Every structure is written in C-alpha cells, then in structure tokens.
Amino acid sequence: GYGTKNLAQGPAMTSEQAAPGNPTPEEPLPSSTTVDETAAAAGEPTPGTVQPGEPAPPPKAEPPRPPGQDMTPEQRARVVMQHLEAGEKAIVAADAETVVREARAALEADETNIAAMITLAHGFYLKEYDDKAEAILKIAKQSPVGEQSPILWMLIGLIADRANVREDDALAAYEKAIQLKPDYAAALTNRGCIFLKRKRYADAERTFEALVQLAPRSARAHTHLGASYRGRSGELTAEPEQRDAYLRKAEKALRVAAGHDPGYAPTQF
C-alpha cells in the first residue's frame, strides 16, 4: 500500500510556495490519527464497541453448508446406504415415486454417489421420463464406477429398446451389461429376444441355452429356447435329420416350460 513516507516525497518547494499551514520538506509532518482516535477525541463512541446499556450485537451467522456436509464420512455413507436399500425395495415393488424420493435423499447426503444417480435414473425410467433418465445416466457414465456398472448399461438398453427405433443401441448396451456381469439374466433375456426378432436363431440359441443354465426353472427362458430351436429347424430344410432334431428339441423345451409354469401362455403355441 501507500505509506506516509511515499505520500510525503515530491519536488522541493520554493520559499514562495511554502505558505503558512503547508509544511515544507524540512518541517516535520503532523502525525496521522486513526478513526478510533478521532472519535475518542470528539467524545463519540468508537466504532464496533458496545456502550453501556446497549445489547450485544448478534453473533455472525456461519455460511450455509451443503446438505450432508455436516456429517462425518461414515455417517454420510450410512445414510446413503439406508436410502439406497429403501430405493431397491421400491424398484422391486415398481413404486417409482418412492424410488425417486429415496434416490434424491441419498444424493442430498452425497451428490457424487454413482449408485444413487443410477437409482434415480431407474426411478425416472419407471415413470417413463426417459429423457431425464438418460441425462442422469450420461453423467454417471463419465465416472469409472458408473462406466463399469452393469445396471447402468441395462437401463441404457431398456430406454433405447423402448424407443423402438434404437434397437442397435439397445443390443450394444445389453452386450456391455453381459460383458460386465455374465450371469445377468435380464440382459441375456433381452439380448436373446432381439436375436429372435432379427431371426438370428443361432445367436438366440446360444443365449437362451446359457440362460436356462442360470435359471433352470424359468418358463420364459425355456419358451424362448424352444422358439430358438424352432427357428433353427426352419433354416435346415435341406437337412431333414437336423431339422427334425431341432423340432424335437423345441417341443421338449416347451414341455419343460409348461411343467414349470402351466399358466404361462406362450408355452401353448
């Protein structure tokens, strides 16, 4: 800053310029006084002091802290886990409102929690707010944790699948989910169904044969496997023996499905 010494320096003054009341360089400068000293000399209260009988000023308020920042890391992790567990139960119950509410509560405690972001996206998917779900998943995917989440990729696939015109994106997302979690039954089912729709029967056969190993009592898995075998038989018209073998395998798969769930309608076709 600028001190008294710097302010005092300047060109020398002539005797004509030196007038009463203007100190020359040879004369001492008057000592500077502070605001407090001036106020005291005038009998006024010093700024910032409390006069007798006056109430003390209220303490300065602390700046607001983001939600969750007043907890220890252990407390924050515990709160997030409680909300995520409640969110998972709501997903099973298809209770979209509760899923969204619990996910948001988890994010209030830890706004960087990837699992909470994915849960919130799942809630929006259940509410059919696909744009919101995709926006959140895009953010979560930027994290290494999110990018390695099979559930994140499954949700991306489901949203693309529901759009009807993005089947390639859906298939790629299901493939990624299966790569990260080879026993992901839901992703295997959806991938296999796309193969069936595209008449890629050999790929569907491999997918549903793997699925019935994971879920041997699933009527749906056995029904889809039977459909794959039947599709394969249609590709082997020039080889009657192999065609008939696939037809027998298809019939067997449908019988197994009916045995596990007689009320599952597709087993009757």
Side-chain angles (χ1 to χ4, degrees):
Y2 296 92
T4 305
K5 178 179 180 181
N6 293 331
L7 290 173
Q9 290 178 342
M13 300 175 67
T14 64
S15 58
E16 290 82 4
Q17 291 171 320
N22 294 326
T24 64
E26 291 77 15
E27 295 174 340
L29 289 171
S31 60
S32 60
T33 59
T34 66
V35 174
D36 289 350
E37 291 171 345
T38 304
E44 299 175 357
T46 303
T49 61
V50 179
Q51 299 302 310
E54 291 185 359
K60 292 184 178 180
E62 294 185 4
R65 304 178 70 181
Q69 297 305 307
D70 56 349
M71 294 184 284
T72 66
E74 293 77 14
Q75 291 173 326
R76 189 158 50 247
R78 188 161 52 250
V79 168
V80 169
M81 184 57 64
Q82 289 172 349
H83 287 297
L84 290 181
E85 288 175 352
E88 288 296 322
K89 292 178 181 178
I91 288 172
V92 174
D95 182 356
E97 293 292 343
T98 300
V99 175
V100 171
R101 183 174 62 252
E102 294 295 340
R104 282 176 167 162
L107 287 169
E108 285 182 2
D110 181 1
E111 64 182 7
T112 66
N113 190 276
I114 299 300
M117 293 182 194
I118 295 172
T119 301
L120 180 58
H122 202 151
F124 284 142
Y125 168 77
L126 292 174
K127 291 170 70 70
E128 299 188 16
Y129 295 167
D130 290 352
D131 289 345
K132 288 184 176 182
E134 280 193 302
I136 294 169
L137 292 171
K138 184 177 180 180
I139 295 171
K141 193 170 63 173
Q142 295 174 3
S143 162
V145 174
E147 203 275 337
Q148 293 297 309
S149 168
I151 298 176
L152 178 144
W153 289 103
M154 181 67 184
L155 285 169
I156 290 174
L158 288 170
I159 293 168
D161 220 345
R162 186 152 65 187
N164 292 324
V165 295
R166 296 169 52 195
E167 196 171 75
D168 287 342
D169 293 341
L171 181 58
Y174 295 144
E175 294 279 11
K176 181 68 174 180
I178 295 165
Q179 176 188 341
L180 294 169
K181 183 177 172 56
D183 62 348
Y184 202 160
L188 284 165
T189 298
N190 290 8
R191 181 182 71 173
C193 287
I194 290 177
F195 287 155
L196 283 175
K197 181 180 177 181
R198 294 184 171 188
K199 299 183 178 180
R200 292 173 55 177
Y201 296 120
D203 290 330
E205 176 187 356
R206 285 190 291 271
T207 298
F208 289 116
E209 282 183 343
L211 184 58
V212 297
Q213 296 299 315
L214 295 171
R217 299 190 60 81
S218 169
R220 176 178 294 182
H222 284 285
T223 301
H224 289 325
L225 180 58
S228 304
Y229 288 152
R230 188 168 54 193
R232 289 283 282 147
S233 72
E235 296 174 338
L236 299 167
T237 54
E239 303 177 45
E241 290 185 6
Q242 292 190 38
R243 180 198 62 196
D244 292 345
Y246 268 108
L247 286 172
R248 288 192 295 271
K249 290 169 70 173
E251 184 180 357
K252 179 181 178 181
L254 291 173
R255 282 201 306 267
V256 171
H260 290 314
D261 187 356
Y264 187 53
T267 64
Q268 308 303 320
F269 293 94

